[in-house]
């Protein structure tokens, strides 16, 4: 376990370094820089140049890169270009919204797709493929709908036409009811993309387990179908399901950026979009480091959860 | 005991059972009208080849068939109740309570993510109405009875922390834990080594005798039947074709199928070697309707009536019944066609008798990578210093339990793995025949391309010459030339193994290594392949290395036998001498564990199965590697390493006390 944690730590370090390097250079490939984005057409070339010099943007790229790494090493993530606010503070402020959306989506997805997939597997095991076909069909349709499009459609139907959910409004942790109403649609949109996938994975792995010898053993000891399904089959089928949930977290980070933008929610996805638009190198880089760390943390947690479901997994 | 008690009605009375599998391609009639009775405490063996419906029949009794299997009709009377009429809920009170089930593969029959305690205790609580503490005590006492050491602690283990033999013991404990009246065992020892098999069989015998439970034992191994059963039912194409007391069945089988099946087994007494009987053809397709007797196409005694009306199971006296129009089956015609195998002709000149394979002090160690650099990585000594010699035209049999290193030797001989140390000298070329003929071919290649592949790789001959060679090879392995353009999936298991042999022979190798070539095959097909190998040996004077755990077959086909234990050869010598008069305690134990297909002889043998299991090759004992399981071991054995020493003129053994 210790060796394993150590390996993971090394992996975190390498991942972050790689991501940082990649983002650092690609950001600078994009035309424009923070100063020109901020100034627009108002300031003269000389004035801009002076500001760039103050920020160290006139140094050669390798020097800028090393300076950045040096600051990173002492956990100095810097401030925003425009407002000069500490970036870490901004991220921590925006985090609750994004975490609420992500966890809400996972919760809704698991709640619907695992029972649905298990039921489909059980029916298929008994030779009834109806539910199976329905899930596969729905999954195909949902997979083909990109979240930015479903977001707009949902907004149109549920907020603008039916008026069930507010399309805008302040969001904070102090007002959970409002938060819930504001994130309901984003959660729904993101879940739609995940439910079908997870239900299909659940269905496949449970169906495979139902054909295993130990399931027959449990039946031969007089256990009912329900007992067999939930006590034996689901636990054995858990590994692929946990893997897919872990992976879908990755997709979610992607998805939250889109839905936060469309539903104007002040999460870290919106920070990222804002940072990109204002060419705020520091902001984007810090956010990407943050995302990378979340990714590694999720992988780590997924592995730990494996151990809970399968004692054969050794670290 | 049970014989003394008057029995009014049978414990289990199965009448006209029909089970179908409703597949997309048609209805497979797996069980086709089976009727039989089992009395209390009786052990009944059901034998048959794969596809005969024996497992489907057994699983039908408790409705444990997976989709699309379905019991279509019939009565299954257990203690007067028809199980076929019970609801699923009622049947769940019978499963595990009145009828316990033991399955074939202990590696997959226990839930891998659940502790033994959680699998064993809840059924006991439920069926016997005990509290958790009492049920736990009961489960531990059962584990203790089946020979799990330190049961109170081991009950908290997961299945993966146990060996296959131990898991099967747990499975038996589980099946018997609610004191069932009947135990169904579906090939319970097929996946186990021969010594472990002997232990498990003894255990089942003892426990069922103690608890008075009756037993249905499904198997394809006639030797086990002779060792174990009171009565035997022989199944063919979904029907019982013969049923009766075990001694009667073996001494006077009445159905041609039973008769042929018994003749396909290599005999124990091999003073004069006869060819094994073969059953020609294939079992009928169970999707198609059968007119007349299902066995008629493969039966030497078939006549007009067999093609018109199917014979029913008719009494033949003494509780014996057979489904054949001929009262004695093949009768006297049984032994006719089995020719004597002539002894090998002595070599024409000295060069013909030369040594073609020589192995000197061969070692193969597998080192796993240690995760921490300063820790010494564990080393598995799979082959630990063996020396062997094979002459031209000689067949060397290598036997031993799984994990003894016999397959590693094969891989080393072929050069598939590099040896850690030691020399292998081969005069000519070595080729290989693998165990599983269905997975050792590229399914997208025609048989012609499969056989000619080694020729193409080595650039042998022109295209026309290669084609002639392939035709010749097909002829040698007894297949028609028309097979050339077929694909592996169009062949039966036996035919595929013939192709594997043809491919191995293509380059005229001096030695062919066959690793368990008959283990995946049915009894009747196995006999065909063994006969083929014996013929090829005679005709081509090829040397064979025959690796198998099936001692009867090895001793039948081999000239010399090497017995391996933990990567070492512990005994070496002429096959019949080693088999009939083993010198090393391990060989003795191994041979006494082999069930002989003769109930009378089995009764006379002293059954003392070898205790314990193969130690881990990770940390080998200091002294004799067999000392931990040897009944004769002394302190000297535990501290002194044994090497192979001459035992007689022709034999060598690695035991301090043998010579």
């Amino acid at each position: 376990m210790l060796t394993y944690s150590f390996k993971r730590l090394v992996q975190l370090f390498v991942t972050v370094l790689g991501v940082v390097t990649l983002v650092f250079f690609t950001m600078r490939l994009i035309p424009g820089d923070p100063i020109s984005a901020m100034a627009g057409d108002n300031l003269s070339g000389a004035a801009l140049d002076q500001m760039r010099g103050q920020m160290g943007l006139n140094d050669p790229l390798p020097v800028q890169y090393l300076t950045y790494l040096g600051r990173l090493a002492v956990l100095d993530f810097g401030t925003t270009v425009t407002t000069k606010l500490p970036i870490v503070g901004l991220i921590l402020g925006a985090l609750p919204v994004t975490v609420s959306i992500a966890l809400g989506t996972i919760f809704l997805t698991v709640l619907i797709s695992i029972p649905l997939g298990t039921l489909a597997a059980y029916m298929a095991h008994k030779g009834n493929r109806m539910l199976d076909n329905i899930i596969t069909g729905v999954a195909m349709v949902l997979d083909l709908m990109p979240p930015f499009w479903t977001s707009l459609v949902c907004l149109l139907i549920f907020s603008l036409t039916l008026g069930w959910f507010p399309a805008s409004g302040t969001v904070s942790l102090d007002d959970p009811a409002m938060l819930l109403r504001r994130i309901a649609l984003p959660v729904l949109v993101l879940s739609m993309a995940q439910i079908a996938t997870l239900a299909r994975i659940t269905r496949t792995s449970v169906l495979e387990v139902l054909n295993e010898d130990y399931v027959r053993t449990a039946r031969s000891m007089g256990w009912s179908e329900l007992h067999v399904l939930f006590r034996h089959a689901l636990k054995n089928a858990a590994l692929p399901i946990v893997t897919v949930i872990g992976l879908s977290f990755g997709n979610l980070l992607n998805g939250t950026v889109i839905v936060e933008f469309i539903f104007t929610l002040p999460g870290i996805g919106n920070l990222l979009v804002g940072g990109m638009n204002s060419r705020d190198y520091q902001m984007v880089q810090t956010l990407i480091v943050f995302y990378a760390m979340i990714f590694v943390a999720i992988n780590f947690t997924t592995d730990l959860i494996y151990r809970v479901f399968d004692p054969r997994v050794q670290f | 005991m049970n014989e003394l008690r008057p029995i009014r009605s049978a414990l289990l009375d199965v009448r006209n059972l029909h089970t179908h599998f409703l597949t997309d391609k048609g209805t497979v009639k797996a069980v086709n009208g089976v009727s039989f009775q089992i009395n209390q405490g009786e052990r009944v063996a059901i034998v048959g080849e794969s596809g005969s419906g024996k497992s489907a029949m057994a699983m039908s009794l408790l409705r444990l068939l997976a989709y699309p299997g379905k019991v279509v009709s019939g009565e299954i009377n257990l203690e007067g109740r028809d199980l076929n009429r019970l609801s699923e809920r009622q049947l769940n009170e019978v499963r595990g309570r009145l009828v316990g089930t033991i399955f074939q593969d202990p590696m997959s029959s226990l839930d891998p993510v659940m502790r033994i305690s959680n699998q064993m205790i809840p059924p006991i609580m439920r069926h016997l109405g005990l509290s958790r503490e009492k049920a736990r005590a009961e489960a531990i006492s059962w584990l203790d009875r089946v020979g799990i050491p330190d049961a109170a602690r081991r009950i908290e283990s997961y299945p993966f922390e146990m060996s296959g033999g131990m898991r099967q013991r747990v499975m038996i404990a589980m099946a018997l834990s609610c004191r069932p009246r009947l135990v169904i065992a579906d090939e319970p020892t097929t996946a186990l080594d021969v010594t472990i098999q002997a232990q498990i069989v003894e255990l089942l015998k003892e426990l069922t005798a103690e608890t008075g439970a009756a037993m249905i034992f499904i198997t394809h191994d006639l030797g086990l039947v002779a060792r174990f059963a009171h009565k035997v039912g022989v199944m063919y194409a979904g029907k019982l074709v013969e049923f009766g007391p075990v001694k009667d069945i073996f001494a006077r089988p009445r159905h041609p199928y039973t008769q042929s099946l018994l003749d396909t087994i290599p005999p124990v007494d091999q003073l004069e070697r006869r060819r094994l009987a073969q059953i020609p053809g294939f079992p009928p397709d169970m999707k198609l309707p059968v007119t007349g007797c299902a066995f008629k196409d493969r039966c030497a005694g078939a006549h007009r009536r067999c093609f018109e009306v199917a014979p029913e199971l008719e009494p033949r006296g003494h509780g014996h019944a057979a489904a054949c129009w001929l009262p004695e089956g093949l009768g006297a015609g049984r032994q006719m066609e089995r020719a004597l195998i002539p002894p090998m002709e002595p070599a024409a000149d000295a060069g013909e008798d030369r040594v073609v394979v020589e192995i000197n002090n061969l070692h193969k160690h597998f080192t796993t990578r240690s995760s921490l650099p300063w820790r010494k990585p564990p080393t598995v000594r799979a082959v630990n210093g063996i020396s062997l010699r094979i002459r031209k035209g000689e067949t060397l049999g290598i036997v031993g339990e799984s994990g003894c290193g016999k397959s590693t030797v094969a891989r080393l001989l072929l050069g598939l793995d590099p040896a850690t140390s030691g020399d292998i000298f081969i005069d000519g070329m070595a080729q290989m025949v693998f165990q599983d003929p269905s997975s050792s071919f590229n399914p997208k290649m025609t048989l012609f391309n499969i056989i000619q592949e080694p020729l193409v790789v080595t650039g042998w001959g022109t295209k026309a010459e290669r084609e002639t060679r392939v035709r010749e090879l097909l002829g040698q392995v007894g297949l028609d030339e028309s097979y050339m353009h077929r694909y592996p999936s169009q062949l039966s298991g036996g035919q595929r193994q013939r192709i594997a042999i043809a491919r191995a022979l293509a380059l005229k190798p001096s030695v062919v290594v066959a690793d368990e070539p008959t283990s995946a095959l049915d009894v009747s097909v196995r006999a065909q392949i063994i006969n083929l190998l014996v013929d090829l040996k005679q005709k081509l004077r090829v040397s064979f290395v025959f690796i198998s755990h099936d001692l009867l077959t090895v001793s039948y086909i081999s000239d010399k036998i090497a017995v391996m234990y933990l990567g070492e050869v512990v005994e070496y010598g002429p096959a019949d001498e080693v088999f009939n008069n083993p010198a090393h305690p391990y060989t003795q134990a191994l041979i006494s564990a082999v069930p002989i297909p003769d109930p009378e002889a089995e009764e006379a043998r002293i059954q003392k199965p070898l205790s314990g299991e193969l130690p881990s090759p990770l940390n080998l004992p200091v002294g004799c590697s067999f000392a931990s399981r040897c009944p004769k071991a002394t302190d000297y054995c535990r501290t002194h390493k044994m090497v192979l020493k001459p035992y007689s003129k022709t034999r060598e053994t690695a035991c301090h006390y043998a010579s």
Side-chain angles (χ1 to χ4, degrees), chain B residues 362-381:
Chain B
L362 189 68
H363 285 262
K364 177 69 189 176
H365 300 173
F366 293 98
T367 311
T368 45
R369 234 179 46 171
S370 174
S371 53
L372 299 174
W374 58 88
R375 209 176 278 167
K376 194 172 171 256
T379 303
V380 176
R381 294 167 198 278

Side-chain angles (χ1 to χ4, degrees), chain B residues 31-44:
Chain B
V31 181
N32 223 342
V34 166
S35 307
F36 64 97
Q37 295 186 342
I38 296 179
N39 295 324
Q40 286 183 10
E42 222 171 33
R43 294 190 296 265
V44 175

Side-chain angles (χ1 to χ4, degrees), chain A residues 125 213 217 220-222 232 236, chain B residues 67 96 103 108-109 111 126-127:
Chain A
H125 183 67
D213 287 351
T217 305
S220 82
M221 292 307 291
H232 293 275
N236 273 286
Chain B
Y67 175 85
F103 297 101
S108 61
S109 294
D111 191 327
R126 199 170 86 98
H127 287 308

